[in-house]
Amino acid sequence: MVEFLTRYPKTMHFLDGKRDKVKVDTKGVEQLTIVVKKSVEEMLKIFSNEGFTHVKFEHKQETQIGSGLSLKLKKPWEMHVRLLEMKKGLVAIQAEVEVSRDYLQHLFCQRTPVFYEIETLLKKHQIEYKIWNDRIRKYVSTVIDNYKIKLATPSFPVLAWKPMVYVISTIGGLYLFKYLMTV
């Protein structure tokens, strides 16, 4: 298993010349939003071409458009992307890295918002974007410096839940069959 290393904007200048820092608290790093002037369909096509798949089970946000998307990274990590409704003609993108949904630890392990991974994808497809800070309600003009973020590999070995369900249901079926044969 491998830890996940990334950078995330720390100090920013805003279009009005003010300067502020991304907040960090016990829940983690404050989420920044990337805003693009593309349709949802175009963005879904781009993410799909990059290997993202639709998420079946997730906690949807209020303004979320459809299902989220995920991309498997190095085991056990995956990137989860949500497209959110903004003003007409604008789509907001929020992304985070977390333990994959394939493992039980997904339910209670650390996760962190990511920014540069999505920025790289947008630059690759030559898509213009802006950075929105929802707490301050302003667009960011410049990122001055970054946090270095390290997600540690879960201390308890990751457990794939799908094979566990198969094994448990098989054993349960055998015991049920054994019980029915004795009745």
Side-chain angles (χ1 to χ4, degrees):
M1 303 292 169
V2 66
E3 55 195 22
F4 182 81
L5 302 170
T6 190
R7 297 176 304 121
Y8 196 76
K10 179 179 182 181
T11 311
M12 306 161 294
H13 272 142
F14 294 91
L15 294 176
D16 63 1
K18 291 185 180 177
R19 180 178 172 162
D20 203 347
K21 288 190 176 198
V22 169
K23 301 295 179 197
V24 178
D25 59 21
T26 56
K27 295 178 185 175
V29 182
E30 172 184 9
Q31 177 81 56
L32 295 174
T33 303
I34 297 173
V35 180
V36 297
K37 287 184 180 179
K38 291 285 183 184
S39 71
V40 173
E41 293 76 23
E42 286 178 276
M43 292 310 300
L44 288 173
K45 185 176 179 184
I46 289 168
F47 281 115
S48 177
N49 290 341
E50 291 293 328
F52 285 81
T53 57
H54 285 280
V55 174
K56 292 179 181 77
F57 303 107
E58 68 178 327
H59 296 288
K60 289 195 176 186
Q61 294 185 3
E62 248 181 67
T63 59
Q64 185 172 331
I65 303 168
S67 296
L69 304 162
S70 71
L71 177 69
K72 300 278 190 235
L73 304 172
K74 289 181 181 177
K75 186 179 178 182
W77 307 107
E78 78 176 12
M79 186 184 318
H80 184 198
V81 173
R82 290 182 174 94
L83 301 180
L84 306 168
E85 198 173 298
M86 240 162 119
K87 292 189 261 180
K88 190 168 181 110
L90 298 177
V91 174
I93 304 168
Q94 290 183 346
E96 63 186 11
V97 168
E98 58 197 352
V99 171
S100 173
R101 285 168 175 68
D102 293 342
Y103 306 106
L104 288 175
Q105 284 86 340
H106 172 79
L107 299 172
F108 50 86
C109 267
Q110 184 183 7
R111 59 192 68 205
T112 189
V114 290
F115 171 78
Y116 292 109
E117 292 78 357
I118 299 300
E119 180 187 54
T120 301
L121 186 142
L122 294 174
K123 284 180 177 179
K124 176 182 174 183
H125 292 274
Q126 299 174 344
I127 298 173
E128 291 184 31
Y129 64 92
K130 290 183 180 180
I131 308 165
W132 176 255
N133 185 305
D134 202 44
R135 175 179 53 87
I136 298 174
R137 314 275 317 146
K138 293 180 183 176
Y139 284 105
V140 174
S141 64
T142 311
V143 174
I144 299 168
D145 61 355
N146 296 292
Y147 288 110
K148 290 180 182 175
I149 298 175
K150 177 171 91 170
L151 291 180
T153 304
S155 55
F156 190 77
V158 289
L159 300 170
W161 64 269
K162 291 176 186 175
M164 289 175 63
V165 169
Y166 175 74
V167 169
I168 291 169
S169 59
T170 301
I171 292 171
L174 290 172
Y175 275 103
L176 177 63
F177 179 72
K178 182 179 174 182
Y179 172 76
L180 293 173
M181 295 307 285
T182 60
V183 175

